[in-house]
Every structure is written in C-alpha cells, then in structure tokens.
Amino acid sequence: MKAPPMMMVLWRSTSLTMRWTMLTIAVLIWSASAICAMYLHAREVVWIAAIVDGYAGLFAGLTLLAPSLLLAVDARQLRIPRMHNVVLPGMIFYALTLAAIPSILLTLAGGEFAGIFAIQMLGLTAGTALGLLPRSVAAVSGFVPVLVSSFRPYLALPHWASGGLFCVLAGVALFCSVIAVRWRRQLRSVDPYRLSASRALVMQNRSQTMGWHRWGGWGQSRDSALAMQTVPAWMLPKADLNGTGPRDPARSLRVALGGWLLPITWHSMLLRWVSVLVPMAIIASLCARSAGVSILSLLGLIVHGMTFGVWVWLAGYGGAALSLVVAVTLQQRWRKANAELPLLALLPALGHGWPLVRNLLRASLLRVLTIQAVLLALVLAVALIQHVDAWSVGIALLGQVAAAGIALVFALSNFGGVSVPKWSAGLIAALCFGLVGFDNVCMPFFSPSPVLGGSSTVLLASAWMLVILALGWMAWRGWCGVQRRPHPFLPA
Amino acid sequence: MNAVLEYPDNVSASPLTASGLVHCYEGSNVLTGVDLTLTPGSVLGLVGRNGTGKSTLIRAMLGLLEPLAGSAFVFGEPALKLSDEAKSRIAYVPQQPEALAWLTVQQMLDFVGRFYPRWDAPFIRTTLERWKIQPNRLLAKLSPGERQRVDLIRAFASQPELLVLDEPAASLDPVARRELLRELALRAGESGTTVLFSTHIVSDLERVASEVAFLHEGKLLLHCGVDETKERYARLWLPAKMTSAAPSQSLSRRRNQDGSLSLIVERDRYGQWPQASTMPGARIDALGLEDLFVEIAE
C-alpha cells in the first residue's frame, strides 16, 4: 500500500465526531498558545504555552491515537493481512505530526524546539498509554494537574543545558514501554472483546449496543447494567428496600434509578468504605513510618499544610465527578425504552404532575446537591481561615456552582425530553476538569502567589461564567420540556 | 398530542383504544394513522414483520411515548395521563426487559409488589419454583430468557385486567413458551383478562389468540377473529390475460413471473368474493394464518 492511503486508513478509522472535535480543539489551543507566546514576550509564557499544548496532546493521544488499537484488534480477529503494518506506522506518523505542529509554532514564537517537542511527546505518549491501560487507571488522570503542581518546584524546564530534558525524555520512554507492552497484550489476547476489568480503556469504551465494528463509544458512558455482569455478585451493592413503596415515592424512585442513587444496606456501605479506606490507611501508615511520625500526626500535618488551592481542587474535582456520576446514570435510564422507563410510567402511586417531578428531582439531586453544599461550605471556611483574596474565592465558588449545575442540567434535560448528545457528559466533564486544573494556575498548591497574573484570573472567572451560563441555558430548556411533557418517563 | 382531548365513542367500553396514531423515527414513518380497539376479555395477537412498528404501536397505546398525532386511551383515560387506578389494572412486559438489573429477583418482585393493591405473592412463590428461578439471583446475572420469565411473573402477579406483552416468547425455550401460552389462556378464560401481545410466531397466535391484527408498513391491514381469517380472506389468482379484471381493493397484490396476478382479497359485506373470482380461469385459494401473513407481508 502506498504511503498516503496508508496514512488515511488510521484517520478514517477514528470516530468521525471525535476526530473533528479533537482536531478543532487542538488547532484552537495551538493557535491561542502560539499567539500568547508571540505577543507576551516572556520566556516563562512559552513554556506555559508548551505545557498547555502538551495537555491538549494528552487528550489527543487518548482519543485519537489510542483507539488505533481497535483497528489493530479487529484486523487481527478478522485475519486481514498487512493491516497491522499500516496501523503502527500510521500511529507514529500522527504522533510526530501532532507533536511537531505546536513545537514549530512555539519555536517561531521564540521557544526552544527540542524541549517543547519533548513536552508534546510526553503528553501524547501519556494519553496513548492511558487509553491502553485499564479503565481504573484512567480514574487517576484527574490527578495530573495536582502532580504537575506538586512537582513543579522540583522539576526543571526541559532546556538542553539542564537535566530537565532528559527527565521528560525518560517519561516519554516510560510511556512508550507501557504502550508497547499493553498493545502486545491486548492484540494477542485470546478473546479481546471479553468484558473484564483489565481490558484497555479504549476496548472498554467500545460501544456495547451499537455493534462490535462501531467505534463510537468515546464520550459515552458504559451501561451500568452491562457493567454489572463483569463484577462478582458479592462485590455489588445490596439495595436497601426499607421504607420504599407508595408512602415514600422519592426513596422508591432512588431504588428504580439505581447506580449511585440506590439506597444500599449498612453492610454494603461498610464494605464500600472499607474497600476505599483500608488501602488508604496502609499507604498512610507506610508514609508515616518512613517519616518517623504517627498516622494522626501525619494527617494533622497534611490538613494543616493544605493550601486553599488544594481544597479548591478537591472540592471542584470531587463535586464535578459526583455530578457526572448522577448525570450519566440518568442519561442511561432515559435512553432505554425497555428498562426502567416503562416500569415507572405504569407504576401506580408514584404521583402525577408537579409532585412527581419534585420527587424525581429529590431522588436524583438531593444527595448530590447536599454533598456539593458541604464542599462549598468547607471551601468557604478554609477561605475565611486562610484569608484568601476575593478573586480566588469567587473562582472557587463559580467552580462549585458549575459542578452542581451539571447534575441539575442532565436531570432536567432527561425529564423534559430535551435531546442531549450522548457524548455531552464527556465534553462537559473535560471542560470542567480542565478548568478545575487551570484553577490551580491561579491558586497553586504549594505557593500563595499565582503562577500567572491578574489577567489570567479574570479570564478564568469569565470561562467559568460562560460554562455556568451555558449550563443555565440547558437547564432552562430542560425545565420547559418538563412543563410541556405529560409525564417525565418518556424516552429523551 | 392534540387529539388527546377528543374522546372516541368506543373509548369507555374498551380497555385499550388507539385512534389515528402517527409516529416516525429519524424521518421514516413507523405508524401512519393506526386505529385499533380491543374488546374486553379478548386476546389480540399483533403480527407484523420486523420493524413494522409493533413495539412502537404498543408503547404509544400505553402512553410510553408521545405519538406525533392521534390518541390512545386505556380504560377510557388518555394513555399519557393515566390515573393510579388505571395503572394498577395494567401490566406490560417489554421486549427483552432490562429493568432494575441491580436488584435480585426477590427484591424486584417485593419492591414492585408494594405498589399494586392486588399483588399475588403466593403465585410468585409457586411460579418461581415451577420455572426454576432462584429468587436470590441478581437480575443482571440472569440470561435473557430468565429475565423475560421474571418479568412475566411480575406482570401476572399484579393480577391485571389488561396485559400487554411485546414479543413475550422471543427469548423463551419451547417449554417456557408453552407454559406462557397456558398461563395466558388461563388468565383470559378464567379472569377475563384482556391480552394484547405481539409476536412473529404464528403458531402461538393460533393457539391462544381470539383476534389477530396485521401491522404492515405502519398500517393495520386487517383486524378480525382468528377463526374468521380463513373464511374471510383468501388468495385470488388471476391468469395473465385477465389481470385487467383484478379488483382495485386488495390487501396485497403480487405479479408472478408468468404475468399472472396473486391478490389477497376479502369477502364483501354480503359474504361474496370479488366479481373477478367467478371468471373462467380465476382461482380462490383458502389460506392458513401463516400463509396469509406471508402473502401480505411479502
């Protein structure tokens, strides 16, 4: 096969929406960072622009390069000859192109090509590796801004002269090794399509309901009912049916909606907490032993040492993640015509009209909004204690409002039958997590002074405002739909 | 749903009525003005090819989707605004039910049972035992056939006056299918339950249904008693030279390779076949239900 068509195979095999969305976002980020670097005339700005481009590269690696595995796996399973020889060179070609374009742009703006290129490759390989690792590993991807902020004082910029470049290159080599190992393992698996927790993230996200040849699963949530088939029964939470029935429609609706909204027994709750707290306690005790202090002293030191930025990150990231869990659950329930919707629509004694909608909103939002309120109170209390400036408090507040808004928007949109694209939850998540990450540019973890000046704070606040306005508009559309519909249990 | 406010005359008497239902998906018409009324105590089998809109019709009739036009009534109430009283008299089993996968069989039945005033708990116990379904198993872990049987138990346990089943036998093995048909016949015969079920399996329909309705290309082509179909419908075969005499009204019309014409025709109100059937060379063939279905659907 000739080179140009060979390169097109990989391009065409990615999801149409995803490749154009990702490409548009990448071009916008590249252009914006190059323009900033060109006109701000500060050496530091070029490196920040390179890191921002690298961050975009991480998502490009995750959404454009890693899904090449699907093509390779399918080609192997279908015994299509020479396809593998097309996929790998194609991947390398796209990786180099995606790294070269921003590097050239920033070099023209006065940057150092080698260092910038290394950062881009680090982002791309990290993203690709993330896509090839199990889904559970992806959960820690949200910690990337924290890690970058945490190690910022110890990391040197990747100049030729300093050791920073080799540090970044070592990272690239590490991610390349992970990619090679995971690629080989997934490709040679006896049944790569089998549902299991160790499958690559891209294999997990392959849409289960749209046929195995379709790669449109990106940005869509995995069906929770299907997911339950892969988990042993004893690990699944046990529903607590006490108090359900016509006397408490809201609690009954929580049972019917399932997922994170499901009321569970004390035994299940305990099991869930133990499975989270025990590993944390082990890690904490190891850290305490190495530091020569007790666990309680260590905890005290951590809490005492936590800056406002850390609290903002914890509350913002945690709040948005919780809202997304609710949003995805509701989206799944309102997508299926043969599951909970017909059951609820024909279940007597659930109520009608506004009381029913109120109960539905209570069932889906009360818990998540209570947690958001607690997080907000915590952030405000810390701000008061640490005498944080008004701008930082404002940004933290906006972030928390946006996080809470996600759950409300998806609830109203689903109940009101307003069409929300399946990938929208993923897009909003990326947007919020991205902005929460950028919050730490203004409120760094280990320093009271911001990385960038006042203008970036204004920009960040404006970005949050825009997100909130968009969410508000979506919520209004949903609310109009709720009022128009004869009952909320109609498919969205 | 502008027509919700217009109450047809037969609404109050019928457990389920559809009038002029229109619906489409992504620009293609699925229902193009369907009228259907169920007589109390009848067992209506709804047949049609894949994608002809059987499930959509059922869902629109029960108020589970908003049709683009037309109206549906359940026990005289608009389907989209049913009272609790009406809801407690209905049971519906969707095709490949997937509801409440996070509960065990027993939990799901306990939970749903709290909402129905006439919940038959002893029936559940005996049927779970008879159908060999473990009550403590998680619904998510059941096979599609087991899941369908659990949902059928759920539907029967509410002792409904109107039972609506969408392809109830699709995932069932022959033994379970036979048991389901027996249960349906029992419910209809002894309790006077009105049943609407969609199916592809014409033999099931012949075994249990009292009425049949053919849905084809979004339209209800015929609706009559199962025993009536043989008497009322037939295939009229006309040789090539006589095709011009073919009646304009027919349920289906197919030109054969030799130029002859095959039509599915209906007796008129005086019980007579169309005039063309009496012409020399013309032939009337009686058809079984399955042949009739194939002839219409082809």
Side-chain angles (χ1 to χ4, degrees):
Chain A
M1 197 185 279
K2 288 179 183 172
M6 193 170 89
M7 295 309 158
M8 288 311 287
V9 169
L10 207 65
W11 173 250
R12 287 183 182 137
S13 66
T14 53
S15 157
L16 183 79
T17 322
M18 184 53 76
R19 69 172 174 246
W20 284 111
T21 310
M22 211 44 238
L23 203 69
T24 311
I25 292 171
V27 167
L28 285 173
I29 291 175
W30 292 339
S31 319
S33 58
I35 290 166
C36 285
M38 210 170 279
Y39 289 101
L40 291 177
H41 299 296
R43 199 166 170 70
E44 184 82 350
V45 173
V46 178
W47 287 115
I48 288 170
I51 291 168
V52 170
D53 284 354
Y55 202 51
L58 185 133
F59 285 105
L62 182 64
T63 54
L64 294 178
L65 300 182
S68 311
L69 176 72
L70 301 175
L71 180 63
V73 165
D74 287 351
R76 187 180 164 85
Q77 293 299 314
L78 292 169
R79 307 291 187 266
I80 299 173
R82 293 195 297 278
M83 184 58 92
H84 198 245
N85 298 340
V86 172
V87 177
L88 275 179
M91 246 179 97
I92 295 166
F93 168 77
Y94 282 109
L96 292 175
T97 310
L98 287 168
I101 294 170
S103 305
I104 291 168
L105 286 172
L106 291 178
T107 307
L108 291 174
E112 206 175 274
F113 182 81
I116 297 167
F117 188 77
I119 291 173
Q120 305 314 305
M121 285 306 291
L122 185 71
L124 284 162
T125 49
T128 312
L130 199 64
L132 300 185
L133 284 164
R135 179 183 272 251
S136 49
V137 179
V140 300
S141 64
F143 289 89
V144 170
V146 187
L147 289 174
V148 173
S149 287
S150 307
F151 289 102
R152 203 176 129 71
Y154 313 106
L155 289 175
L157 289 169
H159 296 292
W160 271 117
S162 69
L165 180 64
F166 298 104
C167 204
V168 173
L169 289 178
V172 174
L174 174 74
F175 287 129
C176 283
S177 315
V178 172
I179 293 168
V181 170
R182 289 293 299 172
W183 185 277
R184 193 181 155 83
R185 179 174 283 190
Q186 292 292 314
L187 204 65
R188 306 229 164 161
S189 166
V190 179
D191 182 7
Y193 307 114
R194 195 173 64 87
L195 292 169
S196 78
S198 63
R199 284 204 318 174
L201 180 66
V202 284
M203 296 295 292
Q204 298 263 20
N205 278 353
R206 175 196 289 268
S207 179
Q208 298 292 332
T209 52
M210 287 192 283
W212 69 278
H213 57 279
R214 176 86 188 261
W215 302 332
W218 276 103
Q220 294 173 24
S221 53
R222 193 164 59 139
D223 189 297
S224 58
L226 272 174
M228 273 190 279
Q229 290 173 0
T230 61
V231 183
W234 66 269
M235 279 179 73
L236 291 167
K238 198 163 183 248
D240 179 10
L241 298 184
N242 283 328
T244 59
R247 282 186 189 172
D248 193 345
R251 190 174 169 83
S252 306
L253 283 164
R254 279 178 60 197
V255 171
L257 294 173
W260 187 74
L261 304 170
L262 181 73
I264 57 174
T265 56
W266 282 107
H267 175 257
S268 291
M269 185 100 72
L270 201 69
L271 197 71
R272 189 176 274 187
W273 279 106
V274 164
S275 63
V276 175
L277 291 178
V278 166
M280 281 176 75
I282 291 169
I283 293 167
S285 69
L286 287 173
C287 291
R289 183 172 287 182
S290 66
V293 291
S294 70
I295 293 181
L296 283 176
S297 317
L298 185 75
L299 282 174
L301 279 172
I302 289 171
V303 173
H304 189 255
M306 275 166 77
T307 59
F308 185 63
V310 176
W311 286 104
V312 168
W313 179 84
L314 280 174
Y317 190 76
L322 270 182
S323 282
L324 274 164
V325 169
V326 174
V328 166
T329 304
L330 296 176
Q331 214 174 11
Q332 284 179 353
R333 302 297 171 262
W334 260 260
R335 207 185 298 153
K336 279 189 177 175
N338 62 338
E340 290 74 31
L341 287 188
L343 184 85
L344 289 170
L346 297 175
L347 204 60
L350 271 184
H352 301 91
W354 169 239
L356 172 62
V357 173
R358 194 184 54 215
N359 280 328
L360 204 48
L361 286 170
R362 264 184 66 197
S364 33
L365 297 178
L366 186 65
R367 198 165 160 218
V368 69
L369 291 185
T370 308
I371 294 172
Q372 301 274 13
V374 170
L375 289 174
L376 184 62
L378 211 63
V379 167
L380 291 176
V382 173
L384 210 66
I385 294 164
Q386 296 187 1
H387 307 292
V388 177
D389 64 291
W391 271 105
S392 300
V393 177
I395 286 174
L397 228 149
L398 289 172
Q400 218 56 49
V401 170
I406 296 171
L408 180 72
V409 163
F410 277 86
L412 289 173
S413 299
N414 284 305
F415 305 162
V418 175
S419 172
V420 181
K422 289 173 186 169
W423 44 262
S424 55
L427 184 72
I428 291 176
L431 209 62
C432 283
F433 292 151
L435 284 177
V436 169
F438 284 117
D439 276 357
N440 293 124
V441 176
C442 296
M443 294 166 262
F445 287 161
F446 295 102
S447 157
S449 55
V451 176
L452 293 178
S455 57
S456 64
T457 311
V458 177
L459 272 174
L460 195 58
S462 311
W464 274 121
M465 287 291 283
L466 272 177
V467 170
I468 290 168
L469 278 175
L471 289 173
W473 175 72
M474 286 167 77
W476 173 249
R477 280 180 64 209
W479 176 244
C480 293
V482 170
Q483 287 180 312
R484 187 193 59 80
R485 285 183 133 193
H487 67 80
F489 303 118
L490 295 164
Chain B
M1 265 306 278
N2 50 0
V4 163
L5 299 172
E6 299 160 18
Y7 282 61
D9 295 339
N10 52 357
V11 155
S12 54
S14 169
L16 197 56
T17 306
S19 166
L21 285 181
V22 175
H23 200 64
C24 74
Y25 289 118
E26 292 166 3
S28 89
N29 288 330
V30 181
L31 302 177
T32 52
V34 177
D35 299 309
L36 180 65
T37 301
L38 262 74
T39 31
S42 63
V43 179
L44 174 70
L46 182 65
V47 283
R49 294 187 70 176
N50 290 328
T52 45
K54 298 188 295 294
S55 299
T56 306
L57 174 62
I58 286 175
R59 293 177 54 225
M61 287 179 86
L62 290 177
L64 302 175
L65 66 82
E66 267 186 295
L68 293 178
S71 54
F73 295 87
V74 183
F75 297 117
E77 295 180 12
L80 285 162
K81 292 191 171 178
L82 291 179
S83 66
D84 286 340
E85 200 270 328
K87 284 179 188 175
S88 65
R89 296 161 71 190
I90 314 167
Y92 164 64
V93 177
Q95 198 177 355
Q96 295 171 339
E98 290 182 22
L100 309 177
W102 40 90
L103 301 183
T104 63
V105 173
Q106 191 64 58
Q107 278 182 322
M108 188 275 273
L109 294 168
D110 281 351
F111 171 67
V112 175
R114 295 174 191 204
F115 293 88
Y116 287 92
R118 292 180 294 153
W119 191 250
D120 190 352
F123 167 81
I124 290 173
R125 270 194 300 278
T126 52
T127 317
L128 282 177
E129 227 173 81
R130 201 171 75 232
W131 287 2
K132 294 184 178 65
I133 297 169
Q134 291 170 333
N136 57 351
R137 279 186 72 192
L138 212 61
L139 288 168
K141 304 277 183 188
L142 298 182
S143 72
E146 287 174 315
R147 201 79 184 264
Q148 187 126 27
R149 279 188 280 169
V150 171
D151 228 40
L152 286 166
I153 293 172
R154 194 252 314 151
F156 287 130
S158 67
Q159 304 197 56
E161 290 171 43
L162 170 64
L163 185 58
V164 182
L165 312 171
D166 192 358
E167 301 271 3
S171 312
L172 301 183
D173 59 60
V175 178
R177 220 173 75 210
R178 193 62 68 88
E179 291 214 42
L180 165 69
L181 296 178
R182 198 180 303 144
E183 192 66 44
L184 277 181
L186 199 75
R187 297 269 165 169
E190 290 186 359
S191 319
T193 309
T194 308
V195 182
L196 165 64
F197 72 103
S198 66
T199 185
H200 291 296
I201 308 163
V202 181
S203 60
D204 285 357
L205 198 138
E206 281 173 320
R207 196 165 284 145
V208 74
S210 58
E211 291 177 26
V212 62
F214 275 94
L215 192 67
H216 187 61
E217 291 175 349
K219 276 195 164 61
L220 212 58
L221 287 189
L222 67 88
H223 175 199
C224 62
V226 170
D227 301 331
E228 234 182 296
T229 50
K230 267 187 190 168
E231 291 297 315
R232 198 161 145 192
Y233 299 94
R235 178 172 51 212
L236 168 63
W237 181 84
L238 294 171
K241 57 184 179 191
M242 288 166 56
T243 54
S244 58
S248 56
Q249 293 285 321
S250 64
L251 288 175
S252 81
R253 176 181 293 251
R254 195 180 74 234
R255 189 168 288 279
N256 302 313
Q257 280 185 337
D258 60 357
S260 62
L261 204 60
S262 293
L263 305 109
I264 298 297
V265 290
E266 187 181 1
R267 284 184 196 271
D268 62 18
R269 56 188 167 153
Y270 304 110
Q272 300 298 313
W273 294 117
Q275 187 68 38
S277 65
T278 58
M279 295 171 81
R283 201 174 68 224
I284 281 280
D285 300 321
L287 293 172
L289 205 54
E290 185 150 341
D291 291 332
L292 183 66
F293 170 49
V294 172
E295 286 282 339
I296 290 174
E298 246 182 354

